């Protein structure tokens, strides 16, 4: 076979192989199934959720304030003189009881004044008695002299009966008795006694010091009770009774007072006593007064000036639900997850918002699932992927 024939044969074989390959490719292509276009699934938005628990619970209104005394006064003398006695209690922070003698001014001069006033009273009583006897004698003489004289009338004239002298004697006795009472009062005022049980805030008097009326000797405050003024929003008074301000009768709401003093957390019990009766024009708050009896009965005490936190016990709500602030949306709406993981808008009645906590009065049932996270795009009825807060924390 010549070279030319070999080349022709090789070319034919090559064409046959190419044709067979092309035919096989066509067959393979025809047997391959057609791929349909599909849209990728849209991922469901993930939301954090929590289970709602409802129960009967009292609304608690929180506030803050400082402890103030119910009574406080400045100890001042009403008479002058030298101080001869000072009670050991009359020191800064000293405790005293009602009726205790705190300070005594030298009484001798005032005792002498009482003695002189008593002698004047006795002298005036004697003069009055003498004038009465003289008037009685004059009246008797008159009747004896003019008993048969019909022109004289039945009663003698006032001058005959010495009525001016009697009036003067009575007036002098009354004046001398007033002087005696005044002298006795001054003597009594030489002892300055405590008008209530309390403590000394500050004192500025020493033994032997000469004091004058009106001079400030000490500042005292009562420990029988204390008051705490708590500014509150107007809406807060809806939930508890303030005597004389809110409708209803009976005592005010109970109050728990908390503070840290002497390195310890302490709790005292009190009660709402009244309000100051007006709204603060600057803050628009109402100042509620809380009273605590016997603040110094326990140690450490509820000291005057201490800054405290208060919790006022309000009315009980039968089915109260507590949710985070992030779960409440504009218009008092909460997002609830229902069947098939669908989101539903739910209108609720808010009892009170306390910081990051919202108390729901109506609108949520026990065991329902509430969304506590936000979403950028949201529609009522959309499907979500709920993640309970416990599971979210684990992630």
């Amino acid at each position: 076979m010549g070279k030319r024939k070999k080349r022709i044969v090789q070319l034919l074989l090559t064409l046959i192989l190419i044709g067979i390959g092309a035919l096989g490719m066509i067959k393979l292509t025809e047997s391959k199934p057609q791929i349909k276009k599909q849209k990728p699934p849209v991922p469901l938005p993930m939301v954090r959720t929590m289970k709602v628990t409802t129960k009967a619970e009292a609304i608690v209104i929180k506030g803050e304030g400082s402890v103030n005394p119910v009574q406080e006064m400045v100890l001042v003398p009403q008479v002058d003189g030298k101080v001869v006695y000072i009670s050991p209690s009359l020191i800064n922070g000293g405790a005293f009881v009602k009726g205790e003698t705190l300070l005594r001014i030298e009484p001798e001069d005032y005792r002498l004044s009482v003695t002189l006033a008593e002698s004047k009273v006795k002298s005036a009583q004697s003069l009055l008695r003498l004038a009465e006897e003289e008037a009685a004698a004059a009246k008797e003489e008159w009747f004896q002299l003019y008993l048969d004289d019909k022109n004289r009338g039945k009663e003698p004239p006032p001058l005959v009966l010495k009525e001016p002298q009697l009036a003067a004697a009575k007036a002098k006795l009354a004046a001398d008795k007033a002087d005696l009472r005044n002298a006795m009062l001054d003597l009594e005022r030489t002892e300055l006694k405590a008008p209530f049980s309390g403590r000394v805030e500050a004192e500025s008097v020493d033994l032997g010091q000469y004091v004058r009326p009106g001079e400030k000797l000490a500042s005292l405050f009562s420990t029988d009770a204390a008051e705490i003024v708590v500014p509150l929003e107007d809406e807060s008074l809806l939930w508890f009774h303030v005597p004389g301000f809110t409708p209803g009768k009976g005592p005010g709401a109970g109050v728990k007072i908390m503070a840290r003093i002497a390195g310890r957390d302490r709790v005292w019990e009190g009660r709402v006593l009244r309000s100051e009766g007006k709204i603060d024009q600057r803050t628009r708050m109402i100042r509620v007064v809380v009273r605590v009896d016997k603040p110094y009965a326990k140690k450490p005490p509820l000291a005057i000036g201490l800054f405290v936190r208060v919790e006022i016990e309000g009315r009980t709500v039968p089915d109260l639900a507590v949710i985070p602030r992030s779960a409440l949306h504009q218009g008092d709406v909460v997002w609830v997850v229902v069947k098939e993981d669908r989101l539903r808008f739910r209108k609720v009645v808010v009892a009170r918002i306390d910081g990051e906590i919202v108390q729901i009065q109506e609108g949520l049932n026990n065991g329902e699932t509430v969304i506590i996270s936000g979403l950028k795009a949201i529609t009522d009825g959309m499907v979500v992927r709920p993640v309970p807060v416990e599971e979210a924390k684990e992630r």
Side-chain angles (χ1 to χ4, degrees), residues 323-330 332 353-358 372:
I323 61 174
R325 182 66 179 83
S326 60
L328 184 68
H329 304 279
Q330 188 174 5
D332 292 343
I353 299 177
D354 183 13
E356 294 302 316
I357 297 297
V358 180
I372 61 174

Side-chain angles (χ1 to χ4, degrees), residues 169-272:
K170 289 179 180 179
K172 186 176 185 312
L173 177 60
D176 289 341
K177 284 184 176 181
D179 289 341
L180 175 60
R181 287 194 297 271
N182 189 51
M184 294 177 68
L185 189 58
D186 285 343
L187 177 60
E188 183 180 344
R189 287 171 175 170
T190 58
E191 287 194 1
L192 278 69
K193 297 184 178 182
F196 46 70
S197 296
R199 293 206 172 194
V200 179
E201 182 178 354
E203 62 86 21
S204 57
V205 62
D206 292 318
L207 197 65
Q209 178 179 336
Y210 190 88
V211 296
R212 294 174 175 82
E215 183 178 351
K216 181 179 177 179
L217 305 181
S219 297
L220 315 176
F221 63 85
S222 171
T223 56
D224 291 333
E227 291 183 348
I228 304 162
V229 179
V230 184
L232 294 174
E233 296 177 351
D234 177 64
E235 290 78 6
S236 299
L237 273 67
L238 170 68
W239 296 103
F240 65 95
H241 178 48
V242 181
F245 194 87
T246 58
K249 298 180 180 179
V255 182
K256 182 187 293 183
I257 298 97
M258 297 165 291
R260 186 171 182 84
I261 183 171
R264 297 175 58 189
D265 292 324
R266 295 300 307 268
V267 177
W268 296 265
E269 298 295 329
R271 189 164 292 278
V272 173

Side-chain angles (χ1 to χ4, degrees), residues 120-125 128 168-178:
K120 289 181 179 180
V121 168
K122 290 180 180 178
S123 176
Q125 288 174 338
L128 176 61
K170 289 179 180 179
K172 186 176 185 312
L173 177 60
D176 289 341
K177 284 184 176 181

